[in-house]
Coordinates of all heavy atoms in Angstrom, one line a residue:
V243 N 33.8 -49.3 21.4 CA 32.4 -49.0 21.0 C 31.9 -50.3 20.3 O 32.6 -50.8 19.4 CB 32.2 -47.9 20.1 CG1 30.8 -47.7 19.6 CG2 32.7 -46.5 20.9
T244 N 30.8 -50.9 20.8 CA 30.3 -52.0 20.2 C 28.9 -51.7 19.5 O 28.4 -50.6 19.7 CB 30.0 -53.1 21.3 OG1 28.9 -52.7 22.0 CG2 31.2 -53.3 22.1
E245 N 28.4 -52.7 18.8 CA 27.1 -52.6 18.1 C 26.0 -53.1 19.1 O 24.7 -53.0 18.7 CB 27.0 -53.3 16.9 CG 28.0 -52.8 15.8 CD 28.0 -53.6 14.5 OE1 26.9 -54.3 14.3 OE2 28.9 -53.5 13.7
S246 N 26.3 -53.5 20.3 CA 25.3 -54.0 21.2 C 24.6 -53.0 22.0 O 25.1 -52.2 22.6 CB 26.0 -55.0 22.2 OG 25.2 -55.2 23.3
G247 N 23.2 -52.9 21.8 CA 22.5 -52.0 22.5 C 22.5 -52.2 23.9 O 22.4 -51.3 24.8
R248 N 22.6 -53.4 24.3 CA 22.5 -53.7 25.8 C 23.7 -53.2 26.5 O 23.7 -52.7 27.7 CB 22.6 -55.3 26.0 CG 22.5 -55.8 27.4 CD 21.1 -55.5 28.0 NE 21.1 -55.7 29.4 CZ 20.0 -55.4 30.1 NH1 18.9 -55.0 29.6 NH2 20.0 -55.6 31.4
I249 N 24.9 -53.0 25.8 CA 26.1 -52.5 26.4 C 26.1 -50.9 26.2 O 26.4 -50.2 27.2 CB 27.4 -53.1 25.7 CG1 27.4 -54.6 26.1 CG2 28.6 -52.3 26.2 CD1 28.4 -55.3 25.3
E250 N 25.8 -50.4 25.1 CA 26.0 -49.1 24.8 C 25.0 -48.1 25.3 O 25.1 -46.9 25.4 CB 26.1 -48.8 23.3 CG 27.4 -49.5 22.7 CD 28.7 -49.1 23.3 OE1 28.7 -47.9 23.8 OE2 29.7 -49.8 23.2
L251 N 23.7 -48.6 25.6 CA 22.6 -47.8 26.2 C 23.0 -47.5 27.7 O 22.5 -46.5 28.2 CB 21.2 -48.5 26.0 CG 20.7 -48.7 24.6 CD1 19.3 -49.3 24.7 CD2 20.7 -47.3 23.9
L252 N 23.7 -48.5 28.4 CA 23.8 -48.3 29.8 C 24.4 -47.0 30.3 O 24.0 -46.5 31.4 CB 24.5 -49.5 30.4 CG 23.7 -50.8 30.4 CD1 24.5 -51.9 31.0 CD2 22.4 -50.7 31.0
P253 N 25.5 -46.5 29.6 CA 26.1 -45.3 30.2 C 25.1 -44.1 30.2 O 25.3 -43.1 30.9 CB 27.2 -45.0 29.1 CG 27.6 -46.3 28.6 CD 26.3 -47.1 28.5
F254 N 24.0 -44.2 29.4 CA 23.0 -43.1 29.2 C 21.9 -43.3 30.2 O 20.9 -42.5 30.1 CB 22.6 -42.9 27.8 CG 23.7 -42.6 26.9 CD1 24.4 -43.6 26.2 CD2 24.1 -41.3 26.8 CE1 25.4 -43.3 25.3 CE2 25.1 -41.0 25.9 CZ 25.8 -41.9 25.2
L255 N 21.9 -44.3 31.0 CA 20.7 -44.7 31.8 C 21.1 -44.9 33.3 O 22.2 -45.3 33.6 CB 20.1 -46.0 31.4 CG 19.5 -45.9 29.9 CD1 19.2 -47.4 29.5 CD2 18.3 -45.1 29.9
R256 N 20.2 -44.5 34.2 CA 20.4 -44.8 35.6 C 19.3 -45.8 36.0 O 18.1 -45.6 35.7 CB 20.2 -43.5 36.4 CG 21.2 -42.5 36.1 CD 21.2 -41.3 37.1 NE 20.0 -40.5 36.9 CZ 19.7 -39.3 37.6 NH1 20.6 -39.0 38.5 NH2 18.6 -38.6 37.4
E257 N 19.8 -46.9 36.6 CA 18.8 -47.9 37.1 C 18.0 -47.4 38.4 O 18.4 -46.6 39.1 CB 19.6 -49.1 37.6 CG 20.3 -49.9 36.5 CD 20.9 -51.2 37.0 OE1 20.2 -52.2 37.4 OE2 22.1 -51.1 37.2
Q258 N 16.8 -47.9 38.4 CA 16.0 -47.5 39.6 C 15.0 -48.7 39.9 O 14.4 -49.3 39.0 CB 15.1 -46.3 39.3 CG 14.4 -45.7 40.5 CD 13.7 -44.4 40.1 OE1 12.8 -44.3 39.4 NE2 14.3 -43.3 40.7
T259 N 15.0 -49.1 41.1 CA 14.0 -50.1 41.6 C 12.9 -49.4 42.4 O 13.1 -48.7 43.3 CB 14.7 -51.2 42.5 OG1 15.8 -51.7 41.7 CG2 13.8 -52.2 43.0
V260 N 11.6 -49.8 42.1 CA 10.5 -49.2 42.7 C 9.7 -50.3 43.4 O 9.1 -51.2 42.8 CB 9.6 -48.4 41.8 CG1 8.5 -47.7 42.6 CG2 10.4 -47.4 41.0
T261 N 9.6 -50.3 44.7 CA 8.8 -51.3 45.5 C 7.6 -50.6 46.0 O 7.8 -49.6 46.8 CB 9.7 -51.9 46.6 OG1 10.7 -52.7 46.0 CG2 8.8 -52.9 47.4
I262 N 6.4 -51.1 45.7 CA 5.2 -50.5 46.3 C 4.2 -51.5 46.8 O 3.9 -52.5 46.2 CB 4.4 -49.8 45.2 CG1 5.3 -48.7 44.5 CG2 3.2 -49.1 45.7 CD1 4.6 -47.9 43.4
T263 N 3.8 -51.4 48.0 CA 2.8 -52.3 48.6 C 1.5 -51.9 48.0 O 1.0 -50.8 48.0 CB 2.6 -52.1 50.1 OG1 4.0 -52.5 50.7 CG2 1.6 -53.0 50.7
A264 N 0.9 -52.9 47.2 CA -0.2 -52.7 46.4 C -1.5 -53.3 47.0 O -2.4 -53.7 46.3 CB -0.1 -53.2 45.0
H265 N -1.6 -53.3 48.4 CA -2.8 -53.7 49.0 C -2.9 -53.1 50.3 O -2.0 -52.5 50.8 CB -2.7 -55.3 49.2 CG -1.7 -55.6 50.2 ND1 -1.9 -55.8 51.6 CD2 -0.4 -55.9 50.2 CE1 -0.9 -56.1 52.2 NE2 0.1 -56.2 51.4
R266 N -4.1 -53.2 50.9 CA -4.3 -52.7 52.3 C -4.9 -53.9 53.0 O -6.1 -54.3 52.8 CB -5.3 -51.5 52.4 CG -4.6 -50.2 51.9 CD -5.4 -49.0 52.5 NE -5.1 -48.9 54.0 CZ -5.8 -48.1 54.8 NH1 -6.9 -47.5 54.3 NH2 -5.5 -48.1 56.0
Y267 N -4.2 -54.5 54.0 CA -4.6 -55.6 54.8 C -5.1 -56.7 53.9 O -6.1 -57.4 54.2 CB -5.7 -55.2 55.8 CG -5.2 -54.0 56.6 CD1 -5.7 -52.7 56.5 CD2 -4.2 -54.2 57.6 CE1 -5.3 -51.6 57.2 CE2 -3.8 -53.1 58.4 CZ -4.3 -51.8 58.2 OH -3.9 -50.8 58.9
G268 N -4.4 -57.0 52.8 CA -4.7 -58.1 51.9 C -5.7 -57.8 50.8 O -5.9 -58.7 49.9
I269 N -6.3 -56.6 50.9 CA -7.2 -56.2 49.8 C -6.5 -55.4 48.7 O -5.9 -54.5 49.0 CB -8.4 -55.3 50.4 CG1 -9.1 -56.2 51.5 CG2 -9.3 -55.0 49.3 CD1 -10.2 -55.3 52.2
P270 N -6.5 -55.9 47.5 CA -5.7 -55.2 46.5 C -6.2 -53.8 46.3 O -7.4 -53.5 46.4 CB -5.9 -56.1 45.2 CG -6.4 -57.4 45.6 CD -7.1 -57.2 47.0
D271 N -5.2 -52.9 46.0 CA -5.5 -51.5 45.7 C -5.4 -51.3 44.2 O -4.3 -51.4 43.7 CB -4.5 -50.6 46.4 CG -4.9 -49.1 46.3 OD1 -5.2 -48.6 45.2 OD2 -4.7 -48.4 47.4
R272 N -6.6 -51.1 43.6 CA -6.6 -51.1 42.1 C -5.9 -49.8 41.5 O -5.3 -49.9 40.5 CB -8.0 -51.1 41.6 CG -8.7 -52.5 41.9 CD -10.2 -52.4 41.4 NE -10.9 -53.7 41.7 CZ -12.1 -54.0 41.4 NH1 -12.8 -53.1 40.7 NH2 -12.7 -55.1 41.6
E273 N -6.0 -48.7 42.3 CA -5.3 -47.5 41.8 C -3.8 -47.6 41.8 O -3.1 -47.2 40.8 CB -5.7 -46.2 42.6 CG -7.2 -45.9 42.4 CD -7.5 -44.6 43.1 OE1 -6.6 -44.1 43.9 OE2 -8.5 -44.0 42.8
I274 N -3.3 -48.2 42.8 CA -1.9 -48.4 42.8 C -1.4 -49.4 41.8 O -0.4 -49.3 41.2 CB -1.4 -48.8 44.3 CG1 -1.6 -47.5 45.2 CG2 0.1 -49.2 44.4 CD1 -1.2 -47.8 46.7
A275 N -2.2 -50.5 41.7 CA -1.9 -51.5 40.7 C -1.9 -51.0 39.4 O -1.1 -51.5 38.5 CB -2.8 -52.7 40.8
A276 N -2.6 -49.9 39.1 CA -2.7 -49.3 37.7 C -1.7 -48.3 37.4 O -1.6 -47.8 36.3 CB -4.1 -48.8 37.5
L277 N -0.9 -47.9 38.5 CA 0.1 -46.8 38.2 C 1.1 -47.3 37.2 O 1.6 -48.4 37.2 CB 0.8 -46.5 39.5 CG 0.1 -45.7 40.5 CD1 1.0 -45.7 41.8 CD2 -0.2 -44.3 40.0
R278 N 1.5 -46.3 36.2 CA 2.5 -46.7 35.2 C 3.8 -46.3 35.8 O 4.0 -45.2 36.3 CB 2.2 -45.8 33.9 CG 0.9 -46.3 33.2 CD 1.0 -45.8 31.8 NE 2.2 -46.4 31.1 CZ 2.4 -46.1 29.8 NH1 1.6 -45.4 29.1 NH2 3.5 -46.6 29.3
L279 N 4.7 -47.2 35.7 CA 6.0 -47.1 36.3 C 7.1 -47.4 35.2 O 8.3 -47.7 35.6 CB 6.2 -48.0 37.5 CG 5.2 -47.8 38.7 CD1 5.4 -48.8 39.7 CD2 5.6 -46.3 39.2
D280 N 6.9 -47.1 34.0 CA 7.9 -47.3 32.9 C 9.0 -46.2 33.0 O 8.7 -45.1 33.5 CB 7.2 -47.2 31.5 CG 6.4 -48.5 31.3 OD1 6.6 -49.4 31.9 OD2 5.5 -48.3 30.4

């Protein structure tokens, strides 16, 4: 056990990558750009 948060938080977390196309034919989609993904 260490005092490092970077090490000790990881067992309690699952990583996730979210890729979203945020445009339609080059026109930005404001609603998708505003989505909260924290």
Side-chain angles (χ1 to χ4, degrees):
V243 175
T244 72
E245 295 179 19
S246 168
R248 185 69 194 178
I249 295 171
E250 297 301 338
L251 293 181
L252 291 182
F254 298 95
L255 296 168
R256 297 188 291 184
E257 289 183 78
Q258 193 173 68
T259 300
V260 185
T261 294
I262 304 179
T263 298
H265 71 91
R266 287 201 73 197
Y267 306 106
I269 301 174
D271 188 315
R272 294 182 179 179
E273 288 189 350
I274 292 178
L277 283 175
R278 292 203 56 179
L279 296 173
D280 289 339

